[in-house]
Amino acid sequence: MASTYEYYMWQDFNNKDSNDIDVDCDIFDIQIHFHHVLEIHYPESNQIPVTTTHRSFPIPRNLIFSSDDQSRSSIMDAILSTTAASRDFIDLILPEVSSFALEMATHPSNKNVKVLTMGLLICVVTPYDEREEIDRALGETIQEKARFKPASKSCIEGLKRVRIDKDDDKISGETCMVCLEKESVGEVVIRLACGHVFHEDCIVKWLHTNHLCPLCRFSIS
């Protein structure tokens, strides 16, 4: 599910952080407040904070009101890109943020303000459906149990036994992929329906816990 974004811009007349800015020129201070939360509805509705940041970007005010639209947008883009907001969201609000900054910087009432502070609050809410995660985990558990389902007693009793002949090139000298030991001439082995051959004790023990061929995952039951 997609995240939802909300944002709000304002001129901050009471920003105490502005007092800490050492200014040799008029400053335009952009204060970015970014909040990202997970919203869950199971077992109860709640919001879990993921990221909360507050950063200040003091820049010379003339970069705002003397720059052309493209340059001003580039400045704002660089600032907004320091947040964890998506690229699509930044592209969406960039013209409005740039326009708001220009309006503040050029407003007659702000002419004699040494440090002009603009606040921008961005809130991101990402839905998290825990029920889907639980269902997914249950599904994986069921699949895992199915994968390790033992073969039926009748299938094990009906296994085809063959004796390795010295002229049987397809079996003689092959390795049992359960115990990794070679199958020797004269030995009785089990040939599964898929054609793979194993020591009798090895494959019987295997099939008591798993109904699939160890090599090709062919179902024995």
Side-chain angles (χ1 to χ4, degrees):
M1 300 176 70
S3 298
T4 57
Y5 284 79
E6 293 183 357
Y7 66 99
Y8 176 68
M9 296 176 291
W10 71 97
Q11 180 175 345
D12 192 345
F13 296 97
N14 301 304
N15 181 28
K16 296 180 181 180
D17 294 340
S18 298
N19 298 326
D20 299 329
I21 300 176
D22 185 15
V23 295
D24 294 325
C25 61
D26 291 346
I27 294 295
F28 193 89
D29 185 25
I30 304 176
Q31 300 276 330
I32 303 288
H33 307 263
F34 184 85
H35 302 282
H36 182 196
V37 299
L38 286 180
E39 187 173 58
I40 63 174
H41 299 285
Y42 181 82
E44 60 183 16
S45 296
N46 195 13
Q47 287 192 337
I48 303 174
V50 177
T51 304
T52 299
T53 59
H54 174 206
R55 300 186 65 182
S56 174
F57 298 89
I59 59 178
R61 194 184 309 181
N62 60 12
L63 290 180
I64 300 297
F65 65 77
S66 65
S67 300
D68 56 34
D69 290 343
Q70 184 174 355
S71 298
R72 188 167 53 254
S73 292
S74 296
I75 295 171
M76 294 302 169
D77 190 353
I79 292 174
L80 291 172
S81 295
T82 63
T83 70
S86 70
R87 183 70 251 175
D88 288 344
F89 173 74
I90 292 176
D91 291 341
L92 177 67
I93 70 169
L94 189 55
E96 186 177 353
V97 173
S98 180
S99 177
F100 187 85
L102 178 61
E103 182 180 344
M104 278 185 56
T106 58
H107 198 281
S109 64
N110 293 325
K111 181 178 180 180
N112 297 319
V113 179
K114 197 66 176 175
V115 178
L116 190 60
T117 304
M118 170 184 166
L120 173 59
L121 173 66
I122 300 174
C123 293
V124 187
V125 179
T126 301
Y128 179 82
D129 192 342
E130 195 169 355
R131 288 170 295 182
E132 290 184 0
E133 293 299 312
I134 292 174
D135 290 343
R136 179 188 59 79
L138 287 175
E140 290 179 353
T141 300
I142 292 172
Q143 291 178 2
E144 194 72 5
K145 287 182 178 179
R147 187 164 71 90
F148 287 102
K149 181 184 70 174
S152 65
K153 182 178 180 181
S154 59
C155 286
I156 294 176
E157 291 176 347
L159 291 172
K160 182 179 179 180
R161 291 164 176 80
V162 295
R163 186 178 298 277
I164 301 177
D165 187 271
K166 64 179 180 179
D167 297 324
D168 193 343
D169 296 334
K170 293 184 178 180
I171 301 179
S172 181
E174 289 295 317
T175 299
C176 172
M177 296 309 295
V178 175
C179 67
L180 301 180
E181 293 184 2
K182 289 188 179 297
E183 296 150 348
S184 57
V185 175
E187 188 175 11
V188 175
V189 294
I190 297 292
R191 188 196 300 273
L192 300 182
C194 57
H196 292 121
V197 176
F198 304 91
H199 292 131
E200 181 174 2
D201 289 345
C202 294
I203 196 61
V204 168
K205 288 180 181 178
W206 173 272
L207 293 176
H208 276 305
T209 59
N210 195 324
H211 69 293
L212 304 178
C213 170
L215 288 178
C216 67
R217 320 308 292 169
F218 178 83
S219 178
I220 308 304
S221 58

